[in-house]
């Protein structure tokens, strides 16, 4: 099934969306919010599926057109957002561009950072930033949402805890990253907002493209109308999702609604383009000695989407414009 | 006023606790959970205060004895937990022990990392760990809880967003830290659990000890029955709470219920002892060439508390035992 949240208060209103993303209905008689559904997944999932089936068959009496402009992030705020950097080929490329060696351990020990989850933004919400000097960039990623994961879970067990999948744009402020990483405490100011696809979907929606660990489809990033990347998310993912989850649950449990991200999707050699400007700039630096593609400007648009084998959108599109944010300092 | 959460489900039951921490009453007719109260603070705070006054005057018909053994963390899970390292003297000491220079910028640019907030633990909950080899340590800290903080807020404005204060034990796995910091993505596996004092209190409970930016009282850490530290939290705090909040809100808004931590309380020269074993071990290393105090063992107890000028407990005590956690891997 596919689930969205329409904007309403801090946690939105949970909506069930049909397979084609054409119609939807409120799920509020089953669970008022996505977090409430995740907190009681075992008892509500079957009920939601039942309504979803009616909706897909065109038999739901409460069906209404699905309007992505009303969408919040499907999980509008979460208690845990751990973002990996699972495509190590991307990390290697970034290092190569600055003439640094990749430590061998990076191929064996996952990189994960904790992100801000007190407000995720909707698929069509603007990306607000105070200054273009911060080096505004997008990052197209795949994420999974878990139920409760006990501490010390194995990779094999971890796969069973994946309840939903989606796409995100992990907005990054590239010019703030070097200073933050040098302090070793991880990203903070440099990772302000994360936008989500209109819907999250259960693994069974993905057919053979989902092997229980990786999602084998291209992730399409279109920047100001031009397709700049369509790397296959199932290729070159050094650490698959169960491995990331087991890493995150090594010393403590994860609770329902934990969001685990893949990091920027990237394929060896970037032959099908890139899902972030930083990677494009690294390739330019390696080739030309310096980058020629600037970071995002106010007014720029980024569109991130994944199509199934038949060319239909699975998660709906993230489609955002960068806008200037003027803080009130009076 | 003082607020607690009794254990119940994932978010607990919000309780109002009298000034002396003797009696309490449910606040559920005003706000069912602490997060719900924080989400609507402007409209519920006065109502909670009214009940609190009745409770303190011994006139509340629903008063019952306050039982800390029933306490969850006052905010049992949060959408944002940003922990600073605001006592730079502590960071300097840690560096000195390993023969490293402190970058000058560390005195001007706050260190902050994002912590796991999908489940905070109660004041008397065990500290569960799979292995003593992880280097289990406590960290006594002061935290503030904010309402919504707009992006780009000034330090002056930030102070107005502090709604509640409390104490935490930021459990740290010291032997996992060097490897994680070397990867530059910040703490993750090395910061598993954060325990909270039984109550959070509004700033007006603190009298002159709270100057709007720092809390000027000793934080007492008692390890296996021996007082090992009582540094004054108001001294040597390089970055006060409004400065930490403004740092955290530089590029994005913070949402209601954001928890901002001070980092281990520490005074120059550690003349009144230390609020974590790591600092004690650093002092030993500087003096003797190597540490002699081991990290925590299973069965060890840590007690963290702050007393007012009259010797009464302000927040109640964090009192925890370290226990072995045996993960189920079948």
């Amino acid at each position: 099934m596919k689930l969205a949240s329409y904007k309403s208060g801090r946690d939105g209103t949970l909506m069930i969306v049909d397979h084609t993303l054409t119609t939807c209905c409120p799920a509020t008689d089953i669970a008022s919010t996505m977090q409430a559904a995740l907190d009681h997944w075992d008892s509500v999932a079957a009920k939601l599926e039942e309504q979803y089936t009616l909706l897909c068959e065109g038999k739901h009496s409460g069906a209404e057109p699905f309007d992505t402009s009303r969408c919040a992030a499907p999980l509008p705020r979460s208690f845990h957002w751990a973002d990996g950097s699972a495509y190590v080929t991307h990390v290697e490329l970034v290092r190569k561009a600055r003439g640094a060696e990749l430590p061998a351990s990076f191929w064996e020990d996952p990189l994960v950072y904790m992100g801000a989850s007190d407000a995720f933004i909707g698929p069509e919400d603007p990306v607000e930033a105070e200054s273009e000097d911060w080096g505004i960039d997008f990052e197209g990623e795949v994420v999974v949402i878990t139920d409760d994961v006990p501490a010390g879970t194995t990779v094999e067990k971890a796969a069973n805890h994946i309840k939903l999948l989606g796409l995100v744009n992990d907005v990054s402020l590239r010019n703030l990253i070097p200073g933050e990483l040098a302090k070793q405490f991880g990203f903070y100011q440099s990772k302000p907002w994360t936008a989500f696809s209109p819907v999250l979907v259960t693994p069974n929606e993905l057919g053979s493209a989902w092997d229980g660990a990786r999602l084998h489809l291209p992730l399409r990033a279109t920047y100001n109308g031009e397709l700049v990347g369509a790397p296959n998310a199932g290729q070159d993912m050094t650490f698959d999702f169960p491995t990331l989850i087991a890493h995150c649950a090594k010393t403590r449990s994860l609770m329902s609604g934990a969001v685990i991200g893949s990091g920027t999707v990237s394929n060896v050699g970037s032959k099908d383009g890139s899902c972030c400007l930083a990677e494009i700039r690294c390739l330019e630096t390696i080739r030309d000695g310096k980058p020629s593609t600037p970071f995002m400007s106010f007014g720029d648009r980024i569109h991130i989407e994944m199509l199934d084998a038949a060319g239909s959108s699975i998660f709906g599109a993230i489609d955002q414009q960068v806008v200037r944010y003027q803080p009130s300092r009076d």
Side-chain angles (χ1 to χ4, degrees), chain A:
Chain A
M1 67 182 153
K2 303 193 176 190
L3 298 171
S5 290
Y6 270 0
K7 290 184 179 189
S8 167
R10 295 177 187 272
D11 294 294
T13 299
L14 185 60
M15 306 294 290
I16 307 169
V17 185
D18 79 59
H19 182 77
T20 63
L21 306 177
T22 313
T23 62
C24 65
C25 65
T28 40
D29 54 337
I30 302 169
S32 57
T33 67
M34 181 71 86
Q35 184 65 49
L38 288 159
D39 284 348
H40 305 97
W41 191 255
D42 286 348
S43 62
V44 305
K47 292 177 196 164
L48 293 169
E49 284 279 5
E50 203 175 290
Q51 299 297 306
Y52 173 70
T53 302
L54 286 177
L55 205 57
C56 292
E57 292 172 346
K59 294 177 185 166
H60 198 294
S61 60
E64 54 182 288
F66 180 50
D67 179 359
T68 55
S69 76
R70 294 179 63 187
C71 284
L75 182 61
R77 54 179 179 172
S78 160
F79 297 100
H80 200 110
W81 161 220
D83 196 13
S85 193
Y87 299 84
V88 178
T89 184
H90 168 79
V91 183
E92 190 179 40
L93 188 68
V94 172
R95 295 261 173 161
K96 190 174 173 190
R98 64 169 205 251
E101 282 286 309
L102 188 78
S105 65
F106 278 36
W107 294 101
E108 281 141 38
D109 181 34
L111 275 176
V112 172
Y113 77 92
M114 193 81 78
S117 57
D118 53 352
F120 293 136
I121 58 177
E124 298 175 17
D125 286 345
V127 175
E128 295 184 336
E130 198 181 313
S131 171
E132 291 174 345
D133 296 341
W134 289 345
I136 306 161
D137 198 1
F138 55 88
E139 282 197 358
E141 308 191 9
V142 179
V143 296
V144 300
I145 320 284
T146 75
D147 60 0
D148 293 328
V149 182
T153 196
T154 60
V155 172
E156 291 67 34
K157 289 266 181 189
N160 298 331
H161 294 287
I162 297 172
K163 299 302 160 190
L164 294 166
L165 292 98
L167 306 180
V168 304
N169 173 16
D170 176 38
V171 176
S172 299
L173 302 174
R174 299 291 179 193
N175 295 340
L176 304 187
I177 289 178
E180 289 205 311
L181 293 199
K183 293 195 289 181
Q184 299 190 321
F185 271 38
F187 306 96
Y188 194 92
Q189 294 175 337
S190 54
K191 294 278 188 180
W193 297 110
T194 306
F196 275 66
S197 53
V199 302
L200 297 173
V201 313
T202 45
N204 64 348
E205 288 289 325
L206 301 164
S208 62
W210 172 247
D211 65 7
R214 294 178 177 86
L215 180 51
H216 297 269
L217 284 169
L219 182 63
R220 298 167 60 86
T222 305
Y223 179 45
N224 291 333
E226 184 195 348
L227 183 71
V228 293
N232 192 305
Q235 286 170 22
D236 305 316
M237 190 187 194
T238 314
F239 306 107
D240 62 21
F241 282 109
T243 302
L244 291 175
I245 293 167
H247 178 88
C248 292
K250 184 186 172 190
T251 62
R252 73 188 292 282
S253 312
L254 301 176
M255 303 301 162
S256 63
V259 182
I260 311 292
S262 68
T264 311
V265 174
S266 178
N267 289 163
V268 172
S270 308
K271 60 189 184 314
D272 293 312
S274 301
C275 281
C276 67
L277 296 177
E279 185 168 304
I280 293 171
R281 288 164 56 90
C282 284
L283 290 164
E284 291 166 348
T285 300
I286 293 164
R287 191 188 61 206
D288 308 327
K290 62 181 173 56
S292 45
T293 300
F295 289 120
M296 299 177 91
S297 302
F298 296 130
D300 282 357
R301 288 202 86 86
I302 177 63
H303 180 108
I304 296 169
E305 196 166 16
M306 184 175 271
L307 308 180
D308 64 19
S312 302
S313 185
I314 298 173
F315 304 99
I318 295 171
D319 192 306
Q320 302 184 278
Q321 190 164 33
V322 180
V323 302
R324 184 191 299 273
Y325 173 79
Q326 188 60 53
S328 159
R329 293 202 171 112
D330 58 338

